């Protein structure tokens, strides 16, 4: 397939995603909107197969079959009341997928200049935060972990040290393209995701899920840059932007501020238990 | 290339803000779930990296995991959103 056709069909998929968001924001069109989004995703998958002609089809098809089966079962079986935590899990694995793709693209050694390596590091960082943070929000809503804000003595310092370590590892990856640095970065940012969500109270968790959803949008956009894939950039940015706005609207609807939700427990103020 | 991609990113960002700016409160959760499904499209990245390179067994296995994860995200995401919205419709009907 020629480059023009690929670009054109990617555009079709991107427009589908925009219509999906538009449809989902009005009650009468929401269900159709969701279907349009799914159609866009299908188009995108077919185009990438036709355009890139990937090898190892067996591996890929097995992975799709396993993922598709798990996704379908989970979506069908989940209790109506447990849907928010299901969304959190889906979101978490999406973030993890983005981080893994960036990490392995780096391991393949095909990456190039400073900007490219910096974005790769950023993708690993934000994808890992999304994954561990989402898994913890799942635990909180599923009541595997207490819904009350969790703080431990010296948590602030642990958090600061983790952030400092993350920055150092990030710079290491950006300058050297070192895979070991990226693995270290992934471990540190997995911890960071936990530290971000631990102090959040149960009632605020849905807003944090929405925030993490925006984060994985940003992960996907960044991985699109790493792989020079326009559709990933567009789809990821759409989700990142709309997800950020949605998070703010959800917080406003509950009369809460995002800063208070995330850091309120540190300040000794209340975060709704 | 960097600037071109940046331009796409900024414009897509504005579109993302604009299209959902009027969503009613009741649709917050389905919209979150729908956008969540859309970013599952990251699975394309897995196809590209596994299909066009990836030496070493560990790398391949991790990429298979990435593709499975992405597929869970996209398939599960759209299905669970549809179920949520179906529930809304039933509620409206019984309410009337």
């Amino acid at each position: 397939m020629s480059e023009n056709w690929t670009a054109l069909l990617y555009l079709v998929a991107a427009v589908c995603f925009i219509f999906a968001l538009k449809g989902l924001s009005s009650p009468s069109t929401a269900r159709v909107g969701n279907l349009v989004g799914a159609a866009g995703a299908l188009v995108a998958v077919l185009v990438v197969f036709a355009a890139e002609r990937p090898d190892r089809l067996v591996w890929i098809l097995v992975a799709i079959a396993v993922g598709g089966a798990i996704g379908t079962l989970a979506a069908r079986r989940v209790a109506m009341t447990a849907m928010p935590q299901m969304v959190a899990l889906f979101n978490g694995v999406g973030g993890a997928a983005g981080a893994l793709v960036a990490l392995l693209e780096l391991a393949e050694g095909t990456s190039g200049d400073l900007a490219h390596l910096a974005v790769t590091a950023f993708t690993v960082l934000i994808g890992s935060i999304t994954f561990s943070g989402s898994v913890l929000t799942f635990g909180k809503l599923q009541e595997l972990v207490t819904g009350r804000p969790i703080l431990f003595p010296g948590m602030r310092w642990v958090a600061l040290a983790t952030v400092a370590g993350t920055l150092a590892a990030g710079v290491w990856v950006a300058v050297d393209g070192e895979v070991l640095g990226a693995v270290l970065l992934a471990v540190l940012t997995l911890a960071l995701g936990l530290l971000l969500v631990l102090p959040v109270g149960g009632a605020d968790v849905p807003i944090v899920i929405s925030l993490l959803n925006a984060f994985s949008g940003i992960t996907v956009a960044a991985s699109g840059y790493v792989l020079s894939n326009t559709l990933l950039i567009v789809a990821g940015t759409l989700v990142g932007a709309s997800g950020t706005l949605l998070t703010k609207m959800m917080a406003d609807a509950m009369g809460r501020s995002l800063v208070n939700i995330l850091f309120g427990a540190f300040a000794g103020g209340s975060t709704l238990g | 290339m960097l600037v071109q991609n940046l331009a796409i990113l900024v414009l897509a960002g504005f579109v993302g803000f604009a299209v959902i700016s009027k969503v009613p409160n009741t649709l917050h959760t389905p919209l979150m779930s729908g956008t969540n499904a859309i970013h599952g499209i990251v699975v394309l990245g897995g196809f590209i990296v596994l299909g066009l390179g990836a030496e070493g067994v560990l790398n391949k296995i991790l990429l298979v995991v990435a593709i499975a994860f992405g597929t869970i995200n996209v398939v599960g995401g759209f299905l669970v959103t549809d179920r949520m919205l179906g529930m809304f419709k039933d509620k409206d009907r019984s309410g009337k």
Side-chain angles (χ1 to χ4, degrees), chain A residues 21 25 27 31 34 37 55-56 59 67 75-76 78 80 83 90-91 94 108 213 216 220 225 237 241-242 245 249, chain B residues 2 9 13 17 19-20 23-24 27 32 35-36 39 50-51 53-55 59 64 72-73 76 78 82-84 87:
Chain A
L21 292 181
S25 23
R31 211 161 177 187
N34 185 51
D55 294 328
R56 311 211 172 87
W59 293 74
R76 288 257 167 86
V78 61
M80 294 289 181
M83 280 190 184
F90 288 155
N91 179 45
E108 289 304 307
N213 181 42
S216 33
V220 174
Y225 176 74
T237 310
S242 60
L245 180 59
M249 290 196 287
Chain B
L2 178 65
L9 186 125
F17 271 119
V19 285
I20 69 140
V23 60
L27 282 179
M32 173 172 83
T35 54
N36 170 53
H39 67 56
L50 178 61
E55 299 307 318
N59 289 11
V64 166
I72 291 176
N73 188 182
F78 284 118
D82 192 60
R83 251 188 89 189
M84 259 182 224
M87 202 161 71

Side-chain angles (χ1 to χ4, degrees), chain A:
Chain A
M1 202 158 64
S2 80
E3 240 171 71
N4 278 342
W5 272 109
T6 310
L8 193 66
L9 288 168
Y10 275 164
L11 183 63
V12 170
V15 170
C16 282
F17 292 151
I18 293 170
F19 274 117
L21 292 181
K22 185 76 197 159
L24 278 165
S25 23
S26 160
S28 56
T29 53
R31 211 161 177 187
V32 177
N34 185 51
L35 289 177
V36 172
L42 186 65
V43 169
V45 167
L46 294 177
V47 173
V48 90
F49 275 110
E52 309 278 353
R53 301 196 172 276
D55 294 328
R56 311 211 172 87
L57 277 178
V58 178
W59 293 74
I60 292 178
L61 291 176
V62 168
I64 294 177
V66 171
I70 296 175
T72 308
L73 273 180
R76 288 257 167 86
R77 291 269 170 88
V78 61
M80 294 289 181
T81 49
M83 280 190 184
Q85 50 266 52
M86 200 72 243
V87 173
L89 264 194
F90 288 155
N91 179 45
V93 293
L100 278 172
V101 165
L103 187 67
L104 289 152
E105 172 74 2
L106 183 74
E108 289 304 307
T110 43
S111 347
D113 56 14
L114 181 71
H116 195 272
L117 289 172
V119 179
T120 306
F122 177 73
T123 316
V124 173
L125 177 156
I126 193 119
S128 307
I129 289 182
T130 308
F131 178 61
S132 63
S134 297
V135 171
L136 185 56
T137 57
F138 171 81
K140 285 200 175 205
L141 288 183
Q142 196 70 31
E143 290 169 354
L144 302 171
V145 185
T146 169
R148 303 174 56 152
I150 301 170
L151 289 166
F152 55 82
M155 188 165 180
R156 202 180 301 208
W157 300 109
V158 174
L160 279 177
T162 316
V163 170
T166 300
L167 288 177
V171 170
W172 188 17
V173 175
V175 174
D176 272 357
E178 176 60 51
V179 179
L180 189 65
V183 174
L184 181 68
L185 183 66
V187 172
L188 284 167
T189 44
L190 284 172
L192 211 53
L194 297 180
L195 289 167
L196 183 75
V197 177
L198 278 173
V200 177
D204 288 333
V205 166
I207 296 170
V208 175
I209 295 178
S210 174
L211 181 70
L212 292 170
N213 181 42
F215 277 10
S216 33
I218 296 166
T219 310
V220 174
S223 71
Y225 176 74
V226 172
L227 300 171
S228 324
N229 185 300
T230 319
L231 181 63
L232 288 184
I233 299 179
V234 174
T237 310
L238 282 172
V239 175
S242 60
T244 307
L245 180 59
L246 180 61
T247 307
K248 189 184 174 302
M249 290 196 287
M250 285 170 82
D252 288 349
M254 286 180 68
R256 310 271 293 145
S257 89
L258 200 53
V259 175
N260 195 266
I261 289 168
L262 291 176
F263 305 113
F266 281 109
S270 70
T271 167
L272 300 176

